[in-house]
Amino acid sequence: MLEEAHRRLERGTDVVVALVESHGRPLTEALLDGLAQVPRKVVRYRDAEFAEMDLDGVLARRPQVALVDELAHTNVPGSRHAKRWQDVQELLDAGITVITTVNIQHLESLNDVVAEITGVPQRETVPDEIVRRADQIELVDMTPEALRRRMAHGNIYAPTKVDAALSNYFRVGNLTALRELGLLWLADKVDDQLDRYRADHHITDTWEARERVVVALSGGPEGDTLIRRAARIADRTKGTDLVAVHIARADGLTGPGPVHLGRQRTLVESLGGTFHQVIGSDIPSALLDFARGVNATQLVLGASRRGRIAQLFTRGVGVTTTAGSGAIDVHLVTHEQAPARRHRVRFTGRGALTRRRQTAGFVVAVVGMPALTLLLTLLRGQLSLPSDILTLLLGVVAVALVGGLLPAVLAAVLGFLLLNYFFVAPIHQFTIAQGENLLALLAFVLVAVAVSLVVDLAARRTTQATRAQAEAATLSTLAGSVLRGARPLPALLERVRETFGQDSVTLLERVPDTAAGPGLRHEPQAWRVVGCVGGPPCAVPADGAADVPIDDHLTLVLRGPVLAAGDRRVLAAFAAEAAVALRQERLAAQAAELSQLTELDRLRTALLTAVSHDFRTPLAAAKASVTSLRSPDVTFSPADRAELLATAEESLDRLTRLVENLLDMSRLQAGGMAIHRQPISVAELIPRALDELGELGRPVVVPEADDLPDAWADAALLERVLANLIANAVRYSPPDRPPTVTVSEHDDRVEVRVVDHGPGVPVDDHERIFLPFQRLGDTDNTTGLGLGLALSRGLTEAMNGTLTPESTPGGGLTMTVALPVVDGEHGPVPDDDRADAVLIDQVDEWSRPHQGSR
């Protein structure tokens, strides 16, 4: 806003700062230099003074442009208006242009959404309509990461408030959600402007600036299916509008009952769409006019409920609408009310022309040959017999091109009879007076049949080529599905079922050690199902309409329509690929088992390597100290004796911690860790964790936490987790930037954030740091077994909490421990927690001395 003020000021515009809140930010205050400001008005309220915008002073100054910050601000009681946006309205009424600012979370329509996302209710809001009245709206967009970096650099809040702000309101998730809300809200505003522009300029063509799906409802029961299908299409793209429309007849004839439309209107509105009803005499035209009027990009229609005979006379709404849709994509959706038709992708065994073309050929032969004869009789005096024969021969060739061999033979016979009756003397008799005429007629029939055979052979070759191409495409898709799929066998069987139009496809495997015999195909005990799609599986090969043996053990069984003989060759290729897919799945399962064994072996090797070093070091130190103390050859002073005892005690304590970590890790992996959860104050545990760590050599910043609810946790285990995380943070933080430990509440969880500003960890390695027996590149092997973070996450999750890492803005690593909040103030333990507590109390009877000593 201030940068825009400077641009206008340079152009000579009279710009005045009516009110700008700098909040002590140096960059904001620097932009105020050079801008005229109206002094603020001091308002007293309850013995306190508040500085508010001097509305009368701005009106008296009458600038061309006034800058007013924080549009949603609530004025101090006693001001002329309760809200600042009302002050802005008065400035606008006075002819003063206002440039103002508002955050997306302060819009009234988004108030509850923002509160649900961020957990922070906004008490200061501004009506959306006030903002929408603006002549121009500019979205000041910034990525969440960039905004967090600005905050980490101290450009927004004081350094003491940065960590708390980043860990609460200014999380990446919160900022991303607010950013999306802002983009979507502004998109609605831009969409309104676009609609006004199109209306003002009489533009009816579809502009695909935004996806808008229109579903046409006839008022029948199929409307529910269409609405849900349209909603799924709209959900594929965020921000897509769903619009339902019913076209009522303009002639006043009885339409559909209101029951279905009422239910469908409720369904549309529950899915976030709008319902409209318009009147039109021509339904396709009215539907397209409405779709173009709302700038629709997709139109969803139901398949026609009329039969095939009715569709021969009129094209119907769906076909007519599709033909005139232009740039609008039309979806024709099938439903239960549409006539039942089975469309199958099948390979047929016929090598000649299709039945439709043959039928057309017969029609042309029966109608065309008499028509040619009539034409020739009209030209009897102008044409000779050879011309008549050639003309009818052309008719036979035309029939052959249309319908193939059989219609052409019929045409040739008809041509022979017609020539004999109408053109060969004696006319109008089926007799032949001259032998050459008989020869001409026989030649006519032979030529006609020969031409028909050639045409039919060409059609046969074309069909075979098309079939080969379809088979090649199917086999290519088949091979790709096997190579790409994680579990290719179900996808392959589904492909078989779709390709051959079957009800179910089953892959059977013969039970090992089953004797082969003629009745094996009928014995259910001899087979087991290893894969099936579609309907109920076939228990034996004899249950299917077709079965293809793959090898001695596998058989592919199909249940459904009988296959043509030519389909078996392609089906055999499918069956062979099914065997390959089955072996691929089994090899993948074996590889997964081997991977688990390899991981266990790796852990075992890492454990032995770590134990061989980390156990030997404290054992050697303790043994050396005790051996020295027991040696009769050396006399130690009291100070030396105390130092050796301290060394032995320290080494044994370190060894005890290593053993406890190993035991706790094994208990966690076995599910036998004893957890006693109870309401605890997390903020009070942080000093205890620091005390457990002893002298750290550098400070740890722990800001004072607000009044926070208690969390459900095991105090001893949580203290151990915090101590480990703080020790890591201290170890990696630079001396001039000590680590910080903050506690806050978010989304019914208490969160402890341990923030360091060290070298950090790459995002790709965030999960690797929790693997046991590794130190992620650490060369210092004196710090333990590499179990600290793995054990900390395990203990946290055992308390129904989470431990997640994230990068610290500006560099470093932040570890967040989130624990569930107690329901109510010292509320009762839920049933599952109460049972857990009772069980653990019983277990603790024998483990209590150990816990006490620890």
Side-chain angles (χ1 to χ4, degrees):
M1 179 179 68
L2 296 176
E3 290 172 352
E4 176 66 17
H6 281 284
R7 284 192 292 269
R8 297 198 177 204
L9 188 63
E10 292 174 357
R11 296 196 297 263
T13 305
D14 182 17
V15 181
V16 165
V17 176
L19 186 140
V20 168
E21 297 286 357
S22 66
H23 299 287
R25 298 166 187 160
L27 297 179
T28 306
E29 293 177 349
L31 286 173
L32 286 170
D33 292 342
L35 297 176
Q37 301 187 41
V38 176
R40 300 191 185 187
K41 178 181 179 181
V42 177
V43 180
R44 295 187 59 84
Y45 178 70
R46 292 185 178 178
D47 299 329
E49 293 183 350
F50 300 91
E52 292 284 2
M53 181 178 71
D54 188 357
L55 180 59
D56 293 328
V58 178
L59 291 172
R61 174 66 170 73
R62 295 194 63 81
Q64 290 178 285
V65 178
L67 307 183
V68 181
D69 199 9
E70 298 182 0
L71 182 64
H73 172 74
T74 301
N75 293 328
V76 175
S79 302
R80 184 185 307 176
H81 302 295
K83 293 287 188 176
R84 184 165 292 167
W85 61 263
Q86 295 173 319
D87 296 338
V88 169
Q89 190 63 44
E90 186 170 345
L91 294 177
L92 294 174
D93 294 339
I96 300 174
T97 299
V98 176
I99 302 178
T100 184
T101 61
V102 64
N103 288 337
I104 189 66
Q105 63 264 30
H106 293 300
L107 293 176
E108 181 65 43
S109 65
L110 302 177
N111 184 259
D112 56 341
V113 179
V114 172
E116 183 178 355
I117 293 173
T118 64
V120 179
Q122 299 293 332
R123 296 179 177 84
E124 294 186 331
T125 59
V126 58
D128 291 46
E129 181 59 28
I130 298 300
V131 183
R132 290 186 185 276
R133 291 178 190 170
D135 297 321
Q136 298 180 31
I137 298 179
E138 179 180 347
L139 178 66
V140 184
D141 187 30
M142 179 177 287
T143 64
E145 293 76 13
L147 182 56
R148 285 168 60 87
R149 280 196 300 271
R150 290 191 67 230
M151 183 168 291
H153 294 157
N155 295 334
I156 300 176
Y157 287 157
T160 56
K161 298 181 179 180
V162 169
D163 289 330
L166 291 175
S167 61
N168 289 282
Y169 195 86
F170 291 89
R171 301 167 181 264
V172 173
N174 290 357
L175 297 178
T176 302
L178 292 176
R179 185 188 188 194
E180 183 177 16
L181 289 175
L183 291 170
L184 291 176
W185 191 92
L186 186 61
D188 289 335
K189 167 71 175 178
V190 174
D191 200 51
D192 293 340
Q193 293 176 342
L194 179 61
D195 290 342
R196 287 198 299 270
Y197 179 85
R198 283 165 47 85
D200 294 341
H201 292 78
H202 307 289
I203 298 174
T204 58
D205 294 337
T206 299
W207 286 6
E208 298 185 15
R210 179 174 182 174
E211 288 292 327
R212 182 169 286 109
V213 179
V214 173
V215 53
L217 303 177
S218 65
E222 74 278 1
D224 296 11
T225 301
L226 302 182
I227 292 171
R228 294 187 176 94
R229 179 60 176 155
R232 290 194 297 270
I233 295 174
D235 288 341
R236 294 172 185 169
T237 305
K238 281 197 173 183
T240 300
D241 294 335
L242 175 63
V243 181
V245 60
H246 169 67
I247 309 296
R249 296 177 62 91
D251 52 16
L253 296 178
T254 303
V259 178
H260 293 308
L261 282 178
R263 184 183 69 251
Q264 290 160 11
R265 177 170 190 161
T266 303
L267 177 60
V268 169
E269 293 174 349
S270 67
L271 294 173
T274 58
F275 181 88
H276 304 267
Q277 184 166 336
V278 298
I279 298 176
S281 56
D282 183 59
I283 292 180
S285 299
L287 182 58
L288 289 174
D289 290 341
F290 176 82
R292 294 189 180 102
V294 298
N295 202 23
T297 57
Q298 301 187 63
L299 184 58
V300 178
L301 302 173
S304 176
R305 290 182 288 178
R306 303 179 307 151
R308 293 185 177 181
I309 297 178
Q311 294 182 21
L312 292 176
F313 297 97
T314 57
R315 297 193 298 176
V317 175
V319 177
T320 306
T321 303
T322 303
S325 61
I328 303 176
D329 298 332
V330 179
H331 303 264
L332 286 178
V333 180
T334 59
H335 49 83
E336 295 180 354
Q337 307 301 320
R341 297 171 187 156
R342 302 192 67 177
H343 300 277
R344 298 192 183 114
V345 180
R346 304 187 51 178
F347 299 110
T348 63
R350 297 188 303 271
L353 298 176
T354 62
R355 181 172 298 177
R356 177 176 294 181
R357 286 190 60 179
Q358 289 181 346
T359 303
F362 282 114
V363 173
V364 173
V366 173
V367 176
M369 298 303 289
L372 281 177
T373 302
L374 177 61
L375 178 63
L376 291 174
T377 57
L378 296 177
L379 302 174
R380 188 186 301 273
Q382 304 176 21
L383 298 175
S384 62
L385 179 60
S387 299
D388 297 334
I389 293 175
L390 290 175
T391 302
L392 289 178
L393 183 59
L394 288 176
V396 174
V397 172
V399 172
L401 292 174
V402 174
L405 179 60
L406 295 179
V409 171
L410 175 62
V413 174
L414 288 175
F416 174 84
L417 296 175
L418 292 171
L419 282 170
N420 186 10
Y421 189 80
F422 288 100
F423 302 104
V424 177
I427 298 175
H428 300 153
Q429 294 183 18
F430 289 105
T431 58
I432 302 175
Q434 300 178 7
E436 63 180 35
N437 292 338
L438 177 61
L439 179 62
L441 292 177
L442 291 177
F444 168 79
V445 173
L446 292 175
V447 171
V449 172
V451 172
S452 303
L453 286 172
V454 171
V455 173
D456 188 74
L457 181 61
R460 186 185 300 273
R461 293 291 183 262
T462 302
T463 303
Q464 290 175 351
T466 304
R467 175 189 177 87
Q469 183 180 4
E471 291 179 359
T474 302
L475 293 175
S476 174
T477 304
L478 169 65
S481 64
V482 173
L483 292 175
R484 291 189 297 268
R487 292 197 60 200
L489 182 59
L492 189 145
L493 296 181
E494 181 63 27
R495 177 75 63 179
V496 174
R497 191 184 70 83
E498 292 177 354
T499 301
F500 297 99
Q502 298 296 303
D503 297 330
S504 69
V505 178
T506 307
L507 182 62
L508 295 177
E509 184 178 34
R510 199 175 74 180
V511 177
D513 301 330
T514 301
L520 190 64
R521 298 180 70 253
H522 301 275
E523 296 181 8
Q525 296 81 7
W527 301 91
R528 63 185 175 191
V529 177
V530 294
C532 179
V533 296
C538 298
V540 293
D543 290 346
D547 62 283
V548 180
I550 303 173
D551 53 28
D552 294 339
H553 301 282
L554 293 174
T555 298
L556 187 66
V557 185
L558 283 68
R559 174 182 286 165
V562 178
L563 295 179
D567 295 342
R568 290 222 169 232
R569 182 165 57 88
V570 180
L571 182 59
F574 273 101
E577 294 293 342
V580 174
L582 178 62
R583 296 188 185 100
Q584 180 179 339
E585 284 193 0
R586 290 179 174 175
L587 288 175
Q590 293 176 3
E593 294 179 0
L594 291 176
S595 176
Q596 294 178 356
L597 294 176
T598 303
E599 181 65 18
L600 291 175
D601 184 67
R602 187 193 67 80
L603 289 176
R604 187 180 298 108
T605 302
L607 174 60
L608 292 175
T609 302
V611 168
S612 64
H613 176 275
D614 293 284
F615 275 26
R616 185 172 56 210
T617 302
L619 279 175
K623 180 175 175 57
S625 299
V626 174
T627 301
S628 300
L629 290 173
R630 294 188 61 198
S631 175
D633 300 333
V634 181
T635 302
F636 294 98
S637 65
D640 293 338
R641 184 179 181 85
E643 183 178 356
L644 289 173
L645 288 174
T647 301
E649 183 181 14
E650 181 181 352
S651 300
L652 292 176
D653 287 343
R654 179 183 172 193
L655 186 62
T656 300
R657 288 194 297 269
L658 292 176
V659 173
E660 286 182 350
N661 284 344
L662 285 173
L663 291 176
D664 288 342
M665 198 67 199
S666 63
R667 291 192 190 105
L668 282 174
Q669 293 178 345
M673 171 66 79
I675 308 294
H676 185 64
R677 295 198 303 159
Q678 58 185 352
I680 62 171
S681 173
V682 178
E684 295 177 359
L685 277 182
I686 297 177
R688 291 165 54 181
L690 293 173
D691 292 341
E692 181 182 345
L693 292 174
E695 183 60 37
L696 295 175
R698 64 183 66 181
V700 176
V701 178
V702 184
E704 183 178 352
D706 298 331
D707 187 17
L708 297 173
D710 291 343
W712 281 111
D714 185 308
L717 298 183
L718 180 57
E719 179 181 332
R720 189 172 173 185
V721 171
L722 295 178
N724 181 68
L725 298 179
I726 295 173
N728 283 342
V730 171
R731 180 183 176 197
Y732 291 106
S733 290
D736 57 335
R737 301 194 68 183
T740 303
V741 183
T742 63
V743 185
S744 60
E745 179 191 5
H746 179 72
D747 196 17
D748 295 332
R749 300 180 81 83
V750 176
E751 295 187 349
V752 183
R753 301 172 66 87
V754 181
V755 184
D756 71 65
H757 303 280
V761 176
V763 176
D764 294 340
D765 293 332
H766 276 183
E767 291 302 317
R768 287 184 55 203
I769 61 178
F770 294 103
L771 296 178
F773 310 117
Q774 61 80 38
R775 300 181 178 88
L776 201 62
D778 288 356
T779 57
D780 180 12
N781 290 332
T782 64
T783 57
L785 296 172
L787 280 175
L789 289 178
L791 184 59
S792 297
R793 170 172 275 189
L795 294 176
T796 304
E797 292 177 350
M799 294 183 288
N800 289 344
T802 59
L803 174 58
T804 54
E806 61 182 46
S807 298
T808 303
L813 185 67
T814 299
M815 304 294 288
T816 303
V817 179
L819 296 166
V821 173
V822 177
D823 294 333
E825 187 175 356
H826 304 295
V829 182
D831 292 339
D832 55 342
D833 292 330
R834 186 179 297 111
D836 184 47
V838 172
L839 174 62
I840 291 173
D841 282 343
Q842 295 172 351
V843 174
D844 282 351
E845 290 299 327
W846 57 269
S847 61
R848 196 154 309 182
H850 170 71
Q851 290 183 348
S853 62
R854 183 174 61 184

